[in-house]
Amino acid sequence: MGMTLSANARNFSGGPGALPETVLVQLREAMIAVPEVGLSVLGISHRSDWFAAVVAEVEVRLKALLALPPDFHVLLLQGGGTLQFAMVPLALARGADVPAEYLHTGYWSGKAIAEARKLAPVRVVWSGEDEGFSRLPDDEELVFDARAPYLHVVTNETVEGLQFHRTVGLEEVPRVADMSSDFLSRPFDAGRYALIYAHAQKNLGPAGVTVVLVREAVLERAPEGLPAMLDYRAQAQAHSILNTPPVFAIYAVLLVLRWLMDEIGGLEAMAAINRAKAERLYGVLDASEGFYRPRARRADRSLMNVVFDLPSEALRAAFLAEANRAGFAGLAGHRALGGIRVSIYNAVTLEAVEALADFMETFRRRH
């Protein structure tokens, strides 16, 4: 093999996150030459038959993993989740009389709201800002408008470590979900959504591609005259090859989908692994008698991002320094919040989580 890939095994970064080791090995080979083509993946034409087959297989595997209803289009777009913050209101709320509805549950939903307000009227149904985004809303706190053009929800707030474990909203109002940080981490009923988006750099692959699942009804509603890159219809008609797409990133997504289906065994199996990882870490926090301080309300804890703090700045600095020396990467909290964040996306192994949990228990005993 030459070089070792094991350093990647202890990557707890919030994003770009860890990739499966088998995928990294295949990508390393493809950087030199894709076996079926004999050319580097970085130099293969996006108009080649090989790449058309890659895009087609990504679509087939996503549809199979999620049991997508037949009226969904699978798009592979650029611009990250951030571009979707604008594309969604452009498609669904241009000229609407009634405001689009948003839940303000953390850092990233705040970003989505700010972008949407530039393009359409917006109503924030609920905000956790006053409570420091330490919890998600209860059902009785949510009063929706059945006339709203759509409801936007971030299913997992990576910064604060909050995750919805239920589907909210009215069935008659199109649901739009930013699933960037928990997409394909567990099964969910895609049929209850009108549009789902997820950038790749958490559970799907490297940065540069964003998966968008969009229903035919959304395409039909979209206004005429949008710039082509911002028009879901134009992107769907071009099968995501409206301009030169990120071939490397899309190929990586395909390899991750193969790993998820063929090695892990699908979303139920993935969810069981992810639950075990989260339970191990939250167990350490809850048994620490206040040494480790979880941010999120127990019912809303994320299975992807375990966010906590220590009693003092000095202890936090010592924790990060010692963890780094022990080979654990990416544990500093988001710049907006500080603290500690352990991101345990799909490719982070149970073994890596066990090693970190052991380190945390040892660190607490020593301090």
Side-chain angles (χ1 to χ4, degrees):
M1 292 295 286
M3 58 173 255
T4 176
L5 292 168
S6 58
N8 177 69
R10 292 186 171 188
N11 178 9
F12 295 95
S13 166
L19 285 169
E21 191 143 325
T22 54
V23 170
L24 291 176
V25 171
Q26 292 173 81
L27 287 175
R28 183 170 66 180
E29 183 183 6
M31 292 280 273
I32 305 302
V34 172
E36 312 94 286
V37 187
L39 296 173
S40 166
V41 67
L42 299 178
I44 295 178
S45 169
H46 59 292
R47 301 289 174 201
S48 65
D49 292 344
W50 173 82
F51 185 64
V54 166
V55 171
E57 190 182 337
V58 167
E59 290 189 22
V60 167
R61 287 186 178 268
L62 280 170
K63 286 175 178 175
L65 273 166
L66 295 168
L68 280 185
D71 63 330
F72 267 101
H73 296 264
V74 176
L75 306 180
L76 304 169
L77 305 185
Q78 296 166 67
T82 304
L83 184 61
Q84 294 309 306
F85 297 164
M87 280 183 76
V88 165
L90 279 174
L92 285 166
R94 288 293 293 287
D97 305 326
V98 180
E101 299 199 321
Y102 279 72
L103 298 186
H104 188 199
T105 49
Y107 180 87
W108 287 110
S109 53
K111 293 276 193 192
I113 289 163
E115 283 295 280
R117 281 194 165 129
K118 297 172 184 174
L119 298 161
V122 166
R123 181 173 87 92
V124 175
V125 176
W126 183 89
S127 175
E129 192 164 19
D130 290 347
E131 296 176 55
F133 300 118
S134 59
R135 69 179 183 93
L136 296 174
D138 297 316
D139 284 340
E140 58 271 17
E141 297 175 278
L142 298 173
V143 181
F144 299 107
D145 187 338
R147 301 167 303 152
Y150 65 89
L151 167 69
H152 182 281
V153 176
V154 176
T155 52
N156 183 73
E157 290 278 9
T158 55
V159 174
E160 296 83 6
L162 295 165
Q163 187 177 30
F164 276 100
H165 300 294
R166 68 192 197 278
T167 306
V168 296
L170 305 174
E171 296 303 327
E172 62 267 36
V173 173
R175 290 186 181 93
V176 174
D178 176 352
M179 294 191 178
S180 289
S181 52
D182 63 352
F183 188 59
L184 301 188
S185 69
R186 58 183 180 179
F188 69 96
D189 184 358
R192 298 184 71 185
Y193 295 86
L195 190 151
I196 295 157
Y197 63 91
H199 58 60
Q201 64 262 28
K202 310 287 194 225
N203 283 317
L204 296 174
V209 61
T210 301
V211 172
V212 177
L213 310 177
V214 57
R215 298 194 100 122
E216 180 63 34
V218 173
L219 303 190
E220 288 166 2
R221 270 179 60 183
E224 297 294 334
L226 292 176
M229 284 296 283
L230 305 180
D231 187 340
Y232 291 121
R233 247 181 328 220
Q235 296 281 7
Q237 283 161 4
H239 283 282
S240 305
I241 312 181
L242 184 66
N243 70 328
T244 306
V247 172
F248 175 80
I250 292 170
Y251 180 58
V253 169
L254 173 58
L255 297 181
V256 170
L257 292 175
R258 287 176 180 171
W259 167 81
L260 189 52
M261 290 178 83
D262 306 339
E263 288 188 49
I264 299 296
L267 296 188
E268 291 285 357
M270 193 72 254
I273 295 167
N274 286 332
R275 271 195 305 276
K277 293 187 301 195
E279 281 166 11
R280 179 71 175 100
L281 290 175
Y282 285 118
V284 173
L285 302 185
D286 293 337
S288 75
E289 297 169 341
F291 183 78
Y292 294 119
R293 300 169 181 192
R295 275 199 97 261
R297 180 172 71 168
R298 193 178 290 261
D300 304 319
R301 286 175 170 178
S302 170
L303 303 183
M304 293 282 98
N305 311 95
V306 178
V307 180
F308 60 94
D309 211 345
L310 286 93
S312 71
E313 222 166 289
L315 272 173
R316 185 196 310 145
F319 179 90
L320 288 169
E322 290 186 29
N324 193 44
R325 281 200 296 277
F328 300 106
L331 292 173
H334 189 272
R335 62 187 186 280
L337 197 68
I340 309 292
R341 174 173 60 172
V342 185
S343 296
I344 46 176
Y345 301 129
N346 285 358
V348 175
T349 63
L350 196 49
E351 292 75 22
V353 169
E354 285 289 353
L356 178 62
D358 291 346
F359 166 82
M360 288 169 65
E361 287 165 343
T362 305
F363 182 88
R364 179 173 79 102
R365 282 196 298 272
R366 282 211 321 277
H367 292 275

